[in-house]
């Protein structure tokens, strides 16, 4: 890392290097891509919180509704799950916990059923974990919180496993949907490697269009009338300008969303409104030039939507067996409990 980057970059060196190499690799690829983890700087995380409350973005409130309606059964099933080893209480770990707003429903129910619970939220964001811990400790007596700052997608998942407990791992919020199928399998396999037979996984997945959900509902969830999702998508260019000194003219790109039925995914893109060249300084070397044709896009995110069969196949690819699935009445979203085999 050069003194140029250290002098101008307030973030950690490794974060800056990861952003630089992601930008260089993704923007020289054909078609151009940027990885969705780049969305989540401070402004992007704040915009995402706003997205979860938008009228069009049904995912968060639908999953919360499923937890509210079925928490008793979810916790009972997870606690009753049997493996080859005798175990005591249930402990909860959560991948990508963020501020853990929905998890409180399950934690409260677990405390009601077994008196107390250990909760291990895992996330890349130390501030989000601090907020989650504070909220839970203040509002739910009986929970002992052991936060762990880890990027489980890149650094694996070194879980601090408690002896003689049964683990319920939460991977909710449709986060698994932001991975390509082979990446999703590897995230779940990494998780599975930390679990024992009989431990369980609770997976939240958004569903493909159906009777009560047409393509337009799905598209609206990613292209809301207030423009919050557009701002979330465009913020990635603002981030590259700020952190790498790039000269993206942010207003010359347009938020674009499409549904690919063939790939079963929503795609988010940023479309260049005219032919242009963007430069990213390269630490004393000649700047990295990126040429855009009019209408050319940067593919910034995939959000996969599932059938029940696709969820079962994904779980099986990581050695999990379906225990039970819960849905909302309109079949917009699924919460699936699976057992490690
Ligand atoms: C975090 N993830 C599950 C969101 C999703 O729905 O794929 C990210 C998002 N992108 C646009 N809106 C929300």
């Amino acid at each position: 890392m050069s003194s140029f980057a250290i002098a101008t970059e307030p973030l950690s060196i490794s974060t800056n290097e990861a952003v630089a190499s992601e930008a260089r690799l993704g923007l020289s690829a054909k078609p151009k891509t940027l990885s969705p983890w780049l969305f989540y700087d401070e402004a992007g995380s704040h915009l995402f919180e706003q997205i979860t409350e938008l009228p069009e973005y049904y995912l968060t409130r639908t999953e919360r509704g499923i937890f509210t309606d079925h928490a008793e059964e979810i916790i009972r099933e997870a606690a009753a799950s049997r493996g080859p080893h005798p175990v005591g209480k249930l402990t909860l770990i959560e991948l990508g916990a963020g501020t853990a707003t929905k998890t409180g429903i399950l934690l409260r129910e677990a405390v009601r059923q077994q008196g107390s619970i250990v909760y291990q939220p895992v996330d890349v964001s130390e501030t989000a974990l601090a907020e989650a811990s504070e909220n839970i400790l203040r509002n739910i007596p009986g929970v002992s919180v052991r936060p762990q700052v880890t990027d489980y997608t890149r650094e694996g998942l070194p879980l601090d496993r408690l002896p003689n407990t049964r683990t319920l791992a939460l991977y909710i919020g449709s986060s698994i949907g932001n991975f390509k199928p082979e990446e999703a399998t590897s995230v779940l396999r990494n998780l599975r490697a930390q679990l024992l037979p009989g431990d369980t996984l609770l997976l939240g997945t958004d569903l493909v269009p159906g009777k009560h959900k047409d393509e337009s509902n799905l598209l609206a969830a990613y292209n809301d009338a207030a423009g919050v999702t557009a701002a979330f998508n465009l913020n990635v260019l603002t981030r590259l300008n700020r952190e790498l000194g790039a000269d993206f003219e942010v207003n010359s790109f347009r938020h674009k969303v499409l549904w690919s039925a063939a790939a079963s995914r929503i795609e988010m893109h940023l479309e260049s409104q005219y032919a242009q060249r963007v430069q990213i300084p390269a630490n004393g070397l000649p700047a990295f030039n990126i040429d855009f044709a009019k209408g050319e896009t940067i593919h910034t995110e995939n959000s996969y939507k599932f059938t029940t069969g696709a969820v079962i196949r994904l779980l099986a690819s990581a050695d999990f067996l379906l225990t039970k699935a819960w849905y909302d009445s309109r079949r917009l979203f699924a919460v699936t409990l699976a057992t490690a085999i």
Side-chain angles (χ1 to χ4, degrees), residues 40 48 51 57 59 173-175 178 222 229 232 268 301 303:
Y40 300 94
F48 180 66
I51 286 174
Y57 195 78
L59 288 79
S174 179
S175 304
N178 294 129
Y222 292 85
T229 312
F232 173 73
M268 293 211 312
E301 188 179 60
S303 196

Side-chain angles (χ1 to χ4, degrees), residues 102-318:
K102 281 168 288 183
T103 316
I105 301 167
L106 299 175
L107 288 169
R108 254 194 203 95
E109 179 57 29
V111 171
R112 198 187 67 78
Q113 289 189 26
Q114 60 179 29
S116 65
I117 189 155
V118 174
Y119 171 53
Q120 295 178 264
V122 179
D123 203 277
V124 270
S125 165
E126 204 171 339
T127 22
L129 284 181
E131 197 182 314
S133 308
E134 205 188 300
N135 278 342
I136 287 162
L137 290 172
R138 186 164 358 102
N139 297 317
I140 317 179
V143 182
S144 117
V145 187
R146 303 191 184 179
Q148 194 174 317
V149 181
T150 304
D151 181 351
Y152 62 88
T153 62
R154 286 186 284 174
E155 294 154 25
L157 188 68
L159 267 192
D160 184 12
R161 215 200 142 85
L162 302 175
N164 303 320
T165 55
R166 171 67 71 226
T167 298
L168 165 60
L170 303 184
Y171 199 32
I172 60 177
S174 179
S175 304
I176 195 71
N178 294 129
F179 295 102
K180 294 205 169 113
E182 61 281 9
E183 297 166 340
T185 291
S186 108
V187 166
L188 295 188
R189 278 206 182 132
N190 283 342
L191 169 65
R192 173 63 191 84
Q194 300 293 323
L195 301 178
L196 294 174
D199 286 342
T200 48
L201 162 66
L202 193 69
L203 188 68
T205 47
D206 196 16
L207 298 175
V208 292
K211 201 165 144 208
H212 298 289
K213 180 190 209 174
D214 55 31
E215 244 177 82
S216 63
N217 302 132
L218 206 46
L219 288 165
Y222 292 85
N223 201 3
D224 59 283
V228 182
T229 312
F232 173 73
N233 198 5
L234 287 161
N235 176 60
V236 79
L237 303 183
T238 308
R239 178 174 190 178
L240 298 189
N241 285 351
R242 186 184 63 246
E243 295 187 17
L244 304 179
D247 64 355
F248 279 99
E249 186 64 60
V250 176
N251 292 334
S252 73
F253 286 82
R254 191 180 66 91
H255 170 61
K256 185 175 167 186
V257 177
L258 50 99
W259 162 247
S260 164
S264 198
R265 69 189 191 197
I266 284 282
E267 293 181 10
M268 293 211 312
H269 294 257
L270 291 167
E271 182 185 65
S272 179
Q273 297 304 283
Y274 43 77
Q276 58 181 315
R277 168 168 286 187
V278 175
Q279 293 199 326
I280 302 184
N283 296 344
L285 300 169
F288 171 52
N289 294 325
I290 314 142
D291 290 314
F292 288 91
K294 181 174 187 222
E296 189 177 357
T297 73
I298 310 172
H299 186 172
T300 49
E301 188 179 60
N302 291 317
S303 196
Y304 283 83
K305 310 299 166 189
F306 293 80
T307 58
T308 302
V311 173
I312 293 172
R313 283 192 294 279
L314 170 62
L315 290 166
S317 73

